[in-house]
Amino acid sequence: EHDPLAAFEDVRLGIEAINSGADKIAALRSQLAHAVRDEEQRAIMTELDAIMLQVKREARDVKKRLDRLSKENENLAPGSTSGQMRSNLVSTQAGGFQKAIQRYQEETQGFNDDLKGKIGRQAKIVNPNVTEAEIEQVLEGGDPASLLQDQSVRRDLEIFPFVLEKRFDHNLA
């Protein structure tokens, strides 16, 4: 016999996976703060990309399941105990899903802000007169070489457009 609560368990596990993704991004933020070599930063960015893809997939699945459960609830007898229980479960899980997504978005935004700060500090070391607008231009995919002549900083900055592109590709909005 089909377990009527199995779908709710799948949603719960999906929410856990999204929260786990947020935890992993928080850990990557910490690693980023201490990363000094290009290879370290690139590895962090590659891992971030994989986490974001996984969370995006998970979020889509959870949303589909919640939508399906809500629709199924509409077909239950009004006032039935099981119908009320299912409605409460959907409502509780929808709230948990929203919290998990919000936390995930806060962590990804925090990561982005940290990375922007790090790149900005590197740029100012090489060119103390660099403006916020110039840094923003690089962050949005401009050519870092036009801003900086130092090879090592230029290499660090060259990954940034790739990073931002990946970050915005994975927004769940």
Side-chain angles (χ1 to χ4, degrees), residues 37-120:
R37 293 190 344 268
D38 287 352
E39 303 81 47
E40 291 174 295
Q41 291 186 133
R42 287 179 198 277
I44 289 169
M45 300 317 303
T46 300
E47 191 173 343
L48 176 69
D49 189 42
I51 293 166
M52 292 174 88
L53 278 171
Q54 185 180 357
V55 169
K56 186 176 182 180
R57 243 182 257 124
E58 201 65 58
R60 208 173 336 174
D61 289 348
V62 169
K63 183 166 180 356
K64 280 184 199 167
R65 285 189 173 107
L66 284 170
D67 289 346
R68 189 174 58 242
L69 288 167
S70 288
K71 200 145 208 62
E72 288 171 6
N73 284 357
E74 292 171 10
N75 300 327
L76 296 173
S80 72
T81 307
S82 66
Q84 188 59 49
M85 181 188 81
R86 284 180 58 96
S87 291
N88 289 345
L89 276 169
V90 169
S91 179
T92 299
Q93 287 193 318
F97 175 61
Q98 284 178 329
K99 281 183 186 164
I101 291 298
Q102 182 177 358
R103 182 165 166 256
Y104 163 77
Q105 288 174 332
E106 288 168 0
E107 287 297 341
T108 55
Q109 184 60 52
F111 186 97
N112 191 45
D113 292 347
D114 291 354
L115 190 56
K116 178 180 172 183
K118 184 173 187 159
I119 297 295

Side-chain angles (χ1 to χ4, degrees), residues 135-154:
I135 292 170
E136 277 299 321
Q137 188 178 3
V138 171
L139 299 180
E140 291 172 10
D143 178 20
S146 67
L147 181 61
L148 303 166
Q149 297 308 310
D150 181 280
Q151 276 304 110
S152 64
V153 176
R154 186 182 310 163

